[in-house]
Amino acid sequence: MLELAVLGLLNESPMHGYELNKRLKGVLGPFRAISYGTLYPCLNALQAAGYITADDSASEVGVGRRKKTTYKLTAEGKERLQEQLAEGGPSAWDDESFGVRFAFFAQTDAETRLRILEGRRSRLEERQENATSSMSTTRGRLDRYTLELQRHGLESVEREVRWLNELIATERAGVAARPARTRRTATPQTAK
Amino acid sequence: MLELAVLGLLNESPMHGYELNKRLKGVLGPFRAISYGTLYPCLNALQAAGYITADDSASEVGVGRRKKTTYKLTAEGKERLQEQLAEGGPSAWDDESFGVRFAFFAQTDAETRLRILEGRRSRLEERQENATSSMSTTRGRLDRYTLELQRHGLESVEREVRWLNELIATERAGVAARPARTRRTATPQTAK
DNA sequence: GCGCGATGTATCGACCTGATACATCGACCT
DNA sequence: AGGTCGATGTATCAGGTCGATACATCGCGC
């Protein structure tokens, strides 16, 4: 999750932890930043796994120099990123994950984009059912505020579904225009 | 946070951990349930602090009886709940907290309701500014999808602000109708 | 009489957050 | 020059939370 975001950002250009964090909040939401207590351990793990390198540019000029560490993707890191982007499984429809996956859609192939969009939509529809069924169960026994909160929540979900519908339609139109061309030996998909 | 939700729910009626968890998901979002790994430790802490009691109804009929623990608010617990409800500080405008605070608005006095609603709104407006300013900074350098994500996020925030505006208007009208009557010696407010 | 899904309690490792600490840099003020 | 202040930059830790997992009982239908 965070791993994907970091890899994707570093793929655009190498940068410091601090800048990474700022860019991250533009990608994760676009609100909601993550904390350094999460980022730095993640960076260390990524480095240990060989997906990124950490150039410590302080070697010059001896003491007192400000510590700056520039992180860069390795070849393995790029491969890893491609893997992650291609994998559009159920974990990608979560609130948290979806935003990140979507943010890197430009680097994702059309098939995966569609799968993620549709997965997200069905996840949302599932929620609508849960909510409406639980509302009819507790029929009228809630106070005004609780009711209003649920109504607003439900409306938000409906809005997101409509948004997804538009996106899906656009994607399909795009796919129809240049059919299944992703410059890659199409791994034979089991139809539907 | 979770503490408030548990206290508020138990104030309506005593219940088991399992039911508590189900009700919680009706209150926290109304999506997003919390896990038992969070709930039970919290219940234990609450019990240790003397805010709730845990009646273990298995004492009868000897062995093999199914374990059921009914949690109930104590007098201290009710006091604690009132404290928590009255305290409408900055921590209450967070995404997570706000939903819970709102769900118990029926038990909250009008003044606090208004403070929380307005605090939430200013929090949201702050976000709008951040987002729009960072958008003009990175002017045009984002791809189509990132842009679309930000646009949608911003639109959601705008919608919530409008929602809050309506709620605030309603609250004010209500306060105007029965002026400052909360059956409680009005602690002399510094005007405005 | 037997399986199966809902009810019910509980814990553990892995992960994340918010607070905190420390240090340097550039810019502006006096 | 000297000073303060906010942004940049790296890092850790206690405490809280999640998801998975384990166990056991209840009521129901077949």
Side-chain angles (χ1 to χ4, degrees), chain B residues 17-18 40 66-69:
Chain B
Y18 186 83
Y40 284 111
R66 173 137 160 205
K67 201 199 249 181
K68 277 187 162 195
T69 316

Side-chain angles (χ1 to χ4, degrees), chain B residues 4-130:
Chain B
L4 172 61
V6 169
L7 257 25
L9 243 22
L10 287 181
N11 191 36
E12 291 169 10
S13 81
M15 55 185 122
H16 303 161
Y18 186 83
E19 195 185 349
L20 213 31
N21 192 42
K22 277 205 307 180
R23 302 288 239 88
L24 236 23
K25 88 178 61 174
V27 151
L28 291 159
F31 321 101
R32 162 163 199 79
I34 60 152
S35 75
Y36 293 113
T38 307
L39 179 58
Y40 284 111
C42 175
L43 284 172
N44 290 334
L46 247 18
Q47 188 189 352
Y51 297 137
I52 64 176
T53 59
D55 284 352
D56 195 337
S57 65
S59 54
E60 213 72 43
V61 210
V63 273
R65 210 67 193 88
R66 173 137 160 205
K67 201 199 249 181
K68 277 187 162 195
T69 316
T70 305
Y71 296 96
K72 201 182 304 188
L73 263 194
T74 64
E76 289 92 341
K78 288 184 194 198
E79 240 176 274
R80 174 75 171 166
L81 176 59
Q82 289 311 316
E83 269 175 47
Q84 298 250 276
L85 286 174
E87 194 266 321
S91 56
W93 347 127
D94 289 339
D95 290 323
E96 299 291 288
S97 292
F98 175 72
V100 181
R101 304 302 304 258
F102 190 89
F104 295 111
F105 259 22
Q107 304 175 47
T108 308
D109 68 284
E111 249 172 58
T112 309
R113 286 202 296 259
L114 213 45
R115 204 168 36 188
I116 290 176
L117 253 15
E118 281 169 352
R120 175 68 179 169
R121 184 176 54 179
S122 67
R123 172 77 106 228
L124 254 24
E125 279 163 350
E126 195 179 301
R127 278 194 200 171
Q128 287 180 319
E129 272 181 66
N130 285 0

Side-chain angles (χ1 to χ4, degrees), chain A residues 137-167:
Chain A
T137 307
T138 58
R139 176 86 70 182
R141 297 178 53 264
L142 283 335
D143 60 287
R144 189 160 74 84
Y145 292 106
T146 308
L147 234 40
E148 180 59 25
L149 185 57
Q150 291 195 347
R151 198 195 56 71
H152 181 249
L154 212 43
E155 206 174 293
S156 298
V157 177
E158 274 163 23
R159 264 183 43 76
E160 190 174 340
V161 169
R162 256 174 279 145
W163 182 63
L164 287 171
N165 281 335
E166 280 171 40
L167 290 171

Side-chain angles (χ1 to χ4, degrees), chain A residues 26-27 30-31 99 102-103 105-106 113 127 131 143 145-146 148-153 155 157 159 163 167 171, chain B residues 26-27 30-31 99 102-103 105-106 113 127 131 143 145-146 148-153 155-157 159 163 167 171:
Chain A
V27 151
F31 320 102
F102 189 89
F105 259 22
R113 285 203 297 258
R127 277 195 200 171
D143 60 287
Y145 292 106
T146 308
E148 180 59 25
L149 185 57
Q150 291 195 347
R151 198 195 56 71
H152 181 249
E155 206 174 293
V157 177
R159 264 183 43 76
W163 182 63
L167 290 171
E171 285 293 328
Chain B
V27 151
F31 321 101
F102 190 89
F105 259 22
R113 286 202 296 259
R127 278 194 200 171
D143 62 286
Y145 292 106
T146 308
E148 180 58 26
L149 186 56
Q150 292 195 347
R151 199 196 54 72
H152 180 251
E155 204 174 294
S156 297
V157 176
R159 263 183 42 77
W163 182 63
L167 290 170
E171 285 292 330

Side-chain angles (χ1 to χ4, degrees), chain B residues 169-188:
Chain B
T170 309
E171 285 292 330
R172 280 205 217 282
V175 170
R178 29 185 171 71
R181 287 280 162 257
T182 330
R183 163 100 96 300
R184 186 175 296 260
T185 54
T187 47

